[in-house]
Amino acid sequence: MKAIIFDFDDTLYNGTVWNNWPKYMHKFLTELFGGQERANQFITKYHFDTLPFIGQSVASALIKELGSAESFVKYQSDNVYPLEAPNLRFIDSDFLKDLKKDYHLYILSNSPVRYVRQHLAEGNIDENIFDGIFTNSFEVEDISKYPQYQHILQLENVSPNQIIVVGDNYTNDIVPALKLGLNGYHAPTLEMVYNLRNVINDIEDDSQQLKA
C-alpha cells in the first residue's frame, strides 16, 4: 500500500455537529431570507422538508437560488463550528504521524478547505502531515468523489490496489473508490480508523497469497 485517502467529516473526527444540523440550517435560512416564510419556500422548493439538510445539498441549492454559497460557508465557520468544536473528538495526531512514515496521506472532503483546515487546527493536527487536502468547496453540483479519486491516483502514479480509501459513508466514500479499483475501508467510528494498519496488513497478506 502506498497511499491512504481519508474522508474528513465523521471519519477523522466524531461529534454532535450533524445531529444539530437541522436547527442550524433553519436559523441560517431564516436570517438569510429575512423571515420564516421565504425560508420555508426555499426549503419546500428544494425538498428539504422531506430530505436531510446535507451541507453540500444546501450549498448547491443556494448556488442555484442566489449564485453563491459563500454566505453559507461563512455561517458555518463563524457560528456553527465554534459552538460544536468543544463536542468533537479528533483522531490522534500521533496516529497520523505514524502512518505518515509508511504512506502518503490525503484528505478528500465535500466540505470547504477553510473548514477542514480550521478543524484540523482545533484538533491539534498539523495539516502538513497530509500530502494533499482536496475538496469541492461546496461550489460544484456533482458531489461524487470519483473524479478526485482519479486525480489522486494520477498523482501517485501507482496501480489502484496500492491506495486505500477510509470513510464513514459507504455510499459516498467507498463505492466510488471500489469502482476505480481502489481498496475501501468503511470506518464509521474513530476506533475503527485506529484499526487501519491491521486492515492494510490483511489486504496485503491476501494479495501475497493470491500471487503465491
Side-chain angles (χ1 to χ4, degrees), residues 1 4 6 95 98-99 102-103 164 166 183-187 190-207 209:
M1 206 71 64
I4 302 169
F6 290 101
F95 170 76
D98 183 65
L99 289 176
D102 300 310
Y103 312 103
I164 186 169
V166 183
N183 296 288
Y185 177 40
H186 183 216
L190 288 181
E191 287 69 28
M192 293 182 71
V193 177
Y194 284 126
N195 193 45
L196 179 57
R197 272 199 182 273
N198 291 330
V199 172
I200 292 175
N201 289 338
D202 288 344
I203 292 172
E204 293 179 334
D205 287 346
D206 289 344
S207 178
Q209 290 176 13

Side-chain angles (χ1 to χ4, degrees), residues 111-130:
S111 297
V113 171
R114 178 170 60 184
Y115 156 78
V116 172
R117 286 177 169 158
Q118 180 178 342
H119 265 30
L120 286 173
E122 289 165 353
N124 295 313
I125 300 171
D126 183 358
E127 67 178 76
N128 293 312
I129 292 175
F130 299 95

